[in-house]
Amino acid sequence: MFGRNKVNQIIADLDQFIDKMDECVLLYKNGIRNYLEGNSQAFTDNINAVMTIRESTTDLRRSIENSLYSYTLVSENRVDILQLLEHMDMIVGQLYKNLVQYEIEIPFFPSELNVDFLKLVELASLSVETTAQAIRDNFRSPQLLQEKIHRIYYYEKEADKLAQAIKRKVFHEMDNFKLSQKIHLRYFTLHVEQIAEEAMKAADLLSVLAVKQRF
């Protein structure tokens, strides 16, 4: 009974972590929109909320890891769960660090880039939201997992194509911008790309898990 209770607690903690990751990406998306639209107070509120989530997911990760290492539980899936947890933590960490950089460096985005940049943020966010759904499916409805994995790969590929288009526009068309300004915009575009790439890494792991579950 004690072992079953601990397993249930690990599942509950993982479920809470997924909820936090899902909430974090929504705040991240709203935060960048508020920054681009000049809504400084709303942007600050978004940062503070993401910071709170980051602290709670750090505690959750430690709790899950301690439970997995301290008890002989779910031993056949322990490594897989730890690897999945690592990718989840990386995603939340990137969302937090990315958003904070706007407050630290105060990048200037020309208005003609806003539509494409927000679309890029949306694609990266969709990759994370779908990753959250896929992780739930892995534990609850594995028959739905492959569809989610396919979507994550699609969003990452589209994010990569749009990011390249944005960077090409910055360096080839914005003649009135200094090289330092162009590099700054490339830097922030790259950060959004990296979020989608981390979601893709989680999808790679989920693909391996899906194969394992079939055998």
Side-chain angles (χ1 to χ4, degrees), residues 121-134:
V121 169
E122 179 66 22
L123 286 167
S125 299
L126 283 169
S127 73
V128 175
E129 291 168 12
T130 309
T131 298
Q133 296 167 10

Side-chain angles (χ1 to χ4, degrees), residues 22-196:
D22 209 24
E23 183 180 354
C24 189
V25 74
L26 292 174
L27 287 165
Y28 165 80
K29 183 165 51 175
N30 288 336
I32 292 182
R33 181 177 294 278
N34 283 324
Y35 179 85
L36 293 178
E37 293 177 354
N39 302 322
S40 57
Q41 185 55 56
F43 173 68
T44 299
D45 292 342
N46 293 140
I47 288 181
N48 291 335
V50 169
M51 188 180 302
T52 299
I53 289 175
R54 180 56 178 154
E55 291 171 354
S56 66
T57 54
T58 298
D59 291 340
L60 277 170
R61 178 179 179 176
R62 288 172 182 158
S63 174
I64 296 167
E65 287 177 340
N66 288 339
S67 295
L68 288 171
Y69 283 123
S70 300
Y71 301 93
T72 312
L73 303 170
V74 291
S75 56
E76 69 278 8
N77 296 322
R78 183 184 302 169
V79 173
D80 294 332
I81 292 174
L82 287 170
Q83 289 179 337
L84 196 54
L85 187 62
E86 180 181 357
H87 287 299
M88 292 162 66
D89 192 57
M90 283 290 294
I91 289 171
V92 174
Q94 284 187 339
L95 291 168
Y96 165 69
K97 291 176 184 177
N98 192 327
L99 196 59
V100 169
Q101 287 305 115
Y102 289 82
E103 189 271 332
I104 294 172
E105 299 189 20
I106 319 176
F108 172 71
F109 280 81
S111 57
E112 60 265 34
L113 272 187
N114 283 5
V115 171
D116 283 342
F117 194 76
L118 285 173
K119 184 178 179 181
L120 176 63
V121 169
E122 179 66 22
L123 286 167
S125 299
L126 283 169
S127 73
V128 175
E129 291 168 12
T130 309
T131 298
Q133 296 167 10
I135 294 170
R136 290 192 200 279
D137 286 346
N138 179 68
F139 293 105
R140 295 178 178 175
S141 306
Q143 72 276 10
L144 302 176
L145 183 57
Q146 201 57 48
E147 178 190 351
K148 303 295 193 310
I149 291 172
H150 176 75
R151 289 186 184 184
I152 296 167
Y153 289 146
Y154 171 78
Y155 293 136
E156 190 279 333
K157 184 171 70 174
E158 291 300 305
D160 180 69
K161 287 194 296 186
L162 181 55
Q164 299 310 312
I166 290 172
K167 286 182 280 189
R168 191 171 288 108
K169 182 176 183 178
V170 168
F171 282 94
H172 291 193
E173 299 179 21
M174 295 185 173
D175 297 331
N176 58 325
F177 267 53
K178 296 178 181 178
L179 178 60
S180 58
Q181 292 175 304
K182 294 179 180 182
I183 291 173
H184 210 202
L185 290 171
R186 181 198 63 80
Y187 172 79
F188 278 87
T189 302
L190 178 63
H191 276 197
V192 182
E193 281 184 275
Q194 289 172 336
I195 291 170

